[in-house]
Amino acid sequence: MAVRKATIDTLLQEDRIFHPDTEFNRQANVKHREIYAEARSNSRIFWAMQAERLEWFQKWDQVVDWQPPFVKWFVNGKLNACYNCVDRHLKTWRKNKAAIIFEGEPGDTRVLTYWDLWREVTKFANVLRDLGVQKGDRVAIYMPMIPEAAIAMLACARLGAAHSVVFGGFSPDSLRDRINDAGAKLVITTDGSWRRGKIVPLKKNTDLAVAECPTIEKMLVVRRTGQEVSMQEGRDFWYHELEVGAQVGGPCEEMDSEDMLFILYTSGTTGKPKGVVHTTGGYLTGVATTHHMIFDLKDSDVFWCTADVGWITGHSYVVYGPLANGATTLMFEGAPDWPEQDRFWAIVERYGVNILYTAPTAIRAFMKWGEQWPARRDLSSLRLLGSVGEPINPEAWMWYHKHIGGQRCPIVDTWWQTETGMILISALPGITPLKPGSATVPVPGVEADVVDKNGNPVLLGKGGFLVLKEPWPAMMRTIYGDDQRYIDTYWNKIPGKWLYFAGDGARRDYHNYYWILGRVDDVINVAGHRLSTMEVESAFVDHPSVAEAAAIGKDHAIKGQAISVFITLKSSISKEMDSGAKTRKEMQDELKAHVVRKIGAIARPDDVFFTAELPKTRSGKIMRRLLRDIAEGRALGDTTTLADPAVIAELKNRYEAKES
Ligand code: PRX
């Protein structure tokens, strides 16, 4: 990715501000702003104090060893992640506290206390050990969102084997590539998983993948859907059969702070997926600390992060952060619109969820479906909301605040990445005034900046490249097996300075708040102005008829690029247009005028194209690159990370037939 022009122009103005209320502040885990200055005055002491949240078998003798771009945290410290998430809670009153509340897609439920979790994890670990898994091995996990997915991760950590969780929506080829890159010796899967009432054949997919995976020796299969699957003698084993004779209990491996805890693959725009390596002591310190501070976790809370364990959000804030803190974490297997579009709200009501952490793509879908769905349910248990994964458009923030948070819950918009392991930019809900659309400020102990292509800070109000200036405990250590790619991707883009380059554009306002402008690759260049997709899209989403928008730059002979926007209207508005109450042309003109009013004539799009769905990755991010291919009449580039290939095929046909 070339970093060309020095900065990004910023045009969107957002002035709303929400101050923390006194009640919330009084009970908050972080009540005083001094924490920022304390952390800044000596970040090593700050992080060493945070590491005390964990139980170490042996204390570290150096907090951090920074040899850019390689880092070690809590040098020579010894601990075990599973011990910290499970065993140590048995010594406290939390032994009988709910650790995991589970709801399956068909509506089945399970609650595992910390004691139950310990029993299940130790059994699972003993089964894995009997199948030959040892410290230092890699184990692939390809499972739905069921408690056994978390149990399998913890069991690997217990034995000192690194897990590589592959999202259950990925294809056999994607699974194969990830298994081969990691050289995993065992894969854990299920017979199938539920998806909107249908079965996804995970075991069959795994068979297809493993046929081309020379390192795989064994496959462990957990029963979930109960359909017939074929088992290969000597290679495949049913967990429910091995579990019967398995021993409960047993020790945890003593791991070095820098031993690998897991690999998680993340796709770049080009090339094969990158195996992001996270280690033990720093990662666990980072996720436990941020989970406690940002989500204001109390022992009585039910915490629900809706991410799948196949993503970093699921690793850090469904499993490791919450369990390290002895929290009750909710796992949900299904989709938000099955059997009806109020499924999330039914779950909040049923379990009295207090803290909800979800993604803008889901929030925009809820906006599209309409506020009557959350209105049917009692959401009064909620006290804090979170957002992650993409910039949240200010209007989506306002909708979330009003219709889900009842105008009483703070919203923490959390910026981070698979690579960063933990949240780096976010409000602390008891002390940080909120601005819709801004992730606010770096968390205590994190040093960020917005710079130009030479690494010099840009003026406040100007857009530039988001960088991190100091190492943080949960940062990735390398790309598995490819140190050079790690250096080139994250450290060499801005030469001469050791700045971690996140690949995102950002600006800071006059309060020093960060506004994430989207991926630098997605920036639109109109007549020499570099516009952020986030700002153009937010101006559209600000219009009451629009649920979601994707803006791209399309080649233009004079302007360099012209803006094309793909719009999803709210369901009620689409119906109105279908009935002829308003023509498409009228709606297009109205939207163009709205954006000119919000941003200026520079942002007037040449095209506005209506579509029922936008192409997204399986983790819900809009794939603007494919929209560019369509708008410029090219063959589609790599579509392997696409969630639903039918969406793009239909869009391409309609676009080419000019059917908007
Ligand atoms: O572009 C940023 C966007 O998601 C990217 C990281 O994606 P991934 O590794 O899949 O991790 C997602 C969950 C942590 C970032 O480079 N992103 C993530 N959170 C935000 C965001 N963009 C704006 N605001 C956020 N809160």
Side-chain angles (χ1 to χ4, degrees), residues 363-379:
I363 298 165
R364 294 187 303 252
F366 301 139
M367 286 171 72
K368 178 169 129 190
W369 300 336
E371 61 251 26
Q372 71 279 12
W373 294 104
R376 297 195 342 184
R377 301 288 180 173
D378 177 4
L379 306 182

Side-chain angles (χ1 to χ4, degrees), residues 145-168:
M145 273 292 280
I146 57 175
E148 283 75 10
I151 291 167
M153 291 161 75
L154 293 163
C156 288
R158 191 173 191 87
L159 298 177
H163 53 72
S164 161
V165 182
V166 179
F167 173 56

Side-chain angles (χ1 to χ4, degrees), residues 313 388-391 413-418 504 516 519 621:
T313 311
V388 59
E390 280 182 290
D413 173 5
T414 61
W415 178 87
W416 59 298
Q417 308 178 299
T418 305
D504 286 339
I516 311 297
R519 302 293 299 167
K621 292 194 208 305

Side-chain angles (χ1 to χ4, degrees), residues 431-575:
I431 58 175
T432 315
L434 305 171
K435 298 188 190 185
S438 167
T440 76
V441 293
V443 301
V446 169
E447 294 295 330
D449 207 345
V450 180
V451 301
D452 64 18
K453 66 174 195 246
N454 301 317
N456 300 315
V458 301
L459 295 174
L460 291 186
K462 295 269 178 245
F465 308 113
L466 180 58
V467 294
L468 282 313
K469 297 193 292 189
E470 295 289 336
W472 63 98
M475 68 192 267
M476 73 186 293
R477 297 302 192 256
T478 189
I479 292 174
Y480 189 69
D482 200 344
D483 285 348
Q484 193 55 47
R485 193 171 175 204
Y486 166 69
I487 297 169
D488 293 342
T489 311
Y490 305 103
W491 301 95
N492 273 353
K493 294 282 191 247
I494 298 166
K497 295 184 179 163
W498 288 114
L499 296 172
Y500 170 88
F501 175 57
D504 286 339
R507 76 178 160 93
R508 262 177 313 185
D509 67 17
Y510 291 94
H511 292 121
N512 257 312
Y513 273 37
Y514 285 72
W515 296 78
I516 311 297
L517 300 172
R519 302 293 299 167
V520 171
D521 312 296
D522 285 338
V523 162
I524 306 172
N525 195 331
V526 185
H529 297 277
R530 284 167 66 84
L531 305 182
S532 101
T533 49
M534 149 72 178
E535 292 191 327
V536 176
E537 289 162 7
S538 289
F540 276 94
V541 177
D542 181 71
H543 188 282
S545 303
V546 175
E548 190 154 46
I552 56 150
K554 172 178 165 176
D555 277 346
H556 186 281
I558 298 161
K559 295 190 272 191
Q561 287 187 320
I563 301 176
S564 286
V565 187
F566 295 75
I567 301 277
T568 303
L569 294 168
K570 290 188 180 154
S571 305
S572 53
I573 308 292
S574 296
K575 284 195 202 109

